[in-house]
Amino acid sequence: MGDTMVIALFRHGLTAANERKAYIGWTDAPLSEKGRNMLYEKGRPVSKYDWISTSDLLRTKETAAYWFPEQILYSVSGFREINFGDWEGKTYEQLKELPEYCKWLNAPFTNAPTNGESFAELVERVDRGWNHLIKQSTRNNRMAVVTHGGVIRYLLSKYGVTKRDFWDCAISPGEGIELIWSNKESFRRKERCTLLQEVAFTEKKSWTVTFAREQGFTEGKVLRLFDEKEISMANNEKGSFYRIEGLEWMIKNRLQEETLEQTIDYMEKLVEALLQWEREENNRCVFIIGSDITKGIVPIDRRDRLWRDATGLIFQRIAAAADRVDVIWYGLNERLK
């Protein structure tokens, strides 16, 4: 992956207060039953991270413990949600007649909740947490933060690819997004990232595994390509399928050492080799799991634009050659082809 820096921002799973659309900041609420069930249905992040932190509140710790059960979790209080003070646990309907609340709604960046925390205080605290990530980057290239909606909005507005309004940077509970810098020094200088990428969860893998089993594909090989530059198709003589994950990252890895034309040529030969493997015997299949790497935003960095364009072109050609194409969302599929 070279000098690439990745920070994944995850929002914790649902709480009972989230379900009621109530304000919940420093209240130390656990995940709700629905929140836990949604995490289980969604699965775990496909990508791996070297260092993982949470806020010091229970709902982030519970979420991270499920997603990363075998890793050490570091609690960073700077990544807490904003303190809503006297409004904690209350809904808009309960607060809408209060003059202080209406004043805050009209100017949330200058006014603070009653006995709560101002936006400036939130920013100062989150910035301290971010500085902690910068220190950790001397030893880690891929880090994850399981935190809260307000914290993520602020970080995306400050470090996203382009300048965006705070309110335009929403992320749903149980979702994640990766901020990617082409080189670590840009991250340390607190520059904006060069690319945003959605975090893929094993819901895609789970659906693929279930679908494969239903079709009779029970024995095969998984190829995880996040740190690879080529595919080895050996040692699958008895298998009936290949499941390929992280193909977009293999494309990026290859583009660091060769031209776009060379990468596309390699990928076209790879697709043909996979098709040939399928044709050699009956009851064989290749499953390719891909992820959106831009979230609809054109990257600033030329190399990331190249990566985006190459990945889009290659996935188009794979889709054209495929017998079936599905979009997976929350474990549910929509068949496109």
Side-chain angles (χ1 to χ4, degrees):
M1 302 284 289
D3 198 35
T4 300
M5 187 72 211
V6 178
I7 301 291
L9 301 176
F10 293 93
R11 187 178 176 188
H12 63 79
L14 274 176
T15 66
N18 293 143
E19 294 181 45
R20 294 191 299 111
K21 299 187 184 302
Y23 291 99
I24 177 172
W26 285 16
T27 302
D28 202 12
L31 298 178
S32 65
E33 181 178 359
K34 180 179 180 180
R36 288 191 293 271
N37 288 337
M38 287 178 66
L39 291 183
Y40 297 149
E41 291 173 3
K42 190 171 187 60
R44 295 186 170 96
V46 173
S47 297
K48 302 300 180 183
Y49 303 99
D50 309 319
W51 191 86
I52 300 165
S53 67
T54 68
S55 79
D56 58 345
L57 296 176
L58 180 60
R59 54 192 182 273
T60 65
K61 294 180 179 180
E62 288 184 334
T63 302
Y66 171 69
W67 279 338
F68 310 106
E70 298 179 357
Q71 291 184 254
I72 298 173
L73 305 177
Y74 298 91
S75 176
V76 179
S77 61
F79 291 131
R80 269 192 180 205
E81 181 60 281
I82 193 169
N83 181 3
F84 289 107
D86 294 351
W87 306 340
E88 291 273 338
K90 296 180 180 179
T91 65
Y92 169 79
E93 291 299 322
Q94 293 173 299
L95 297 169
K96 64 182 182 180
E97 302 298 332
L98 296 178
E100 297 85 356
Y101 178 67
C102 295
K103 184 179 179 181
W104 176 76
L105 283 182
N106 290 328
F109 301 115
T110 55
N111 297 313
T114 303
N115 295 318
E117 189 178 30
S118 69
F119 184 75
E121 290 171 323
L122 168 72
V123 166
E124 181 181 1
R125 177 165 51 77
V126 175
D127 284 347
R128 290 199 301 269
W130 194 261
N131 289 336
H132 191 67
L133 295 182
I134 292 175
K135 292 179 181 178
Q136 292 298 324
S137 70
T138 60
R139 298 184 295 274
N140 304 290
N141 289 343
R142 296 180 59 83
M143 295 188 284
V145 181
V146 184
T147 181
H148 307 266
V151 175
I152 294 174
R153 283 180 186 270
Y154 165 64
L155 291 174
L156 287 177
S157 68
K158 183 171 184 178
Y159 296 113
V161 175
T162 58
K163 184 177 181 180
R164 298 174 67 190
D165 188 86
F166 177 85
W167 302 110
D168 293 334
C169 300
I171 185 169
S172 301
E175 293 289 337
I177 188 167
E178 289 184 344
L179 288 74
I180 304 170
W181 287 260
S182 295
N183 64 81
K184 191 176 288 188
E185 284 306 311
S186 296
F187 166 71
R188 290 174 179 164
R189 290 194 298 266
K190 298 186 177 182
E191 296 176 3
R192 290 186 176 274
C193 70
T194 53
L195 192 69
L196 291 175
Q197 173 175 289
E198 70 169 349
V199 173
F201 287 81
T202 52
E203 59 177 357
K204 296 180 180 180
K205 183 166 68 176
S206 297
W207 182 86
T208 304
V209 170
T210 300
F211 175 78
R213 188 182 299 117
E214 291 174 347
Q215 302 301 312
F217 301 107
T218 58
E219 186 175 355
K221 186 175 182 179
V222 178
L223 301 176
R224 305 187 79 251
L225 307 177
F226 298 94
D227 296 308
E228 306 298 330
K229 295 178 182 176
E230 60 183 26
I231 289 180
S232 173
M233 297 181 62
N235 303 319
N236 195 26
E237 292 83 0
K238 297 181 180 179
S240 61
F241 71 84
Y242 279 104
R243 187 174 74 240
I244 298 173
E245 303 169 6
L247 188 65
E248 61 274 8
W249 283 99
M250 189 185 78
I251 295 169
K252 182 179 180 69
N253 297 337
R254 294 190 67 88
L255 285 171
Q256 291 176 347
E257 298 183 358
E258 62 185 18
T259 66
L260 173 63
E261 291 73 20
Q262 290 172 320
T263 297
I264 291 177
D265 181 64
Y266 173 84
M267 296 305 301
E268 288 181 336
K269 291 177 179 177
L270 170 62
V271 171
E272 182 55 39
L274 292 171
L275 290 173
Q276 181 61 35
W277 179 82
E278 281 189 333
R279 298 188 195 105
E280 287 175 354
E281 293 186 20
N282 293 328
N283 200 36
R284 278 185 173 181
C285 192
V286 176
F287 300 93
I288 298 176
I289 302 175
S291 296
D292 178 5
I293 65 169
T294 65
K295 302 297 289 182
I297 298 175
V298 178
I300 294 176
D301 188 276
R302 181 190 62 81
R303 291 166 296 182
D304 287 330
R305 290 199 300 273
L306 185 65
W307 178 31
R308 181 201 66 159
D309 294 344
T311 300
L313 180 59
I314 290 166
F315 277 163
Q316 287 178 28
R317 297 186 180 182
I318 290 174
D323 294 323
R324 175 172 179 151
V325 178
D326 291 82
V327 174
I328 312 299
W329 185 251
Y330 281 103
L332 302 175
N333 74 299
E334 178 183 356
R335 185 168 181 174
L336 303 181
K337 178 182 177 181

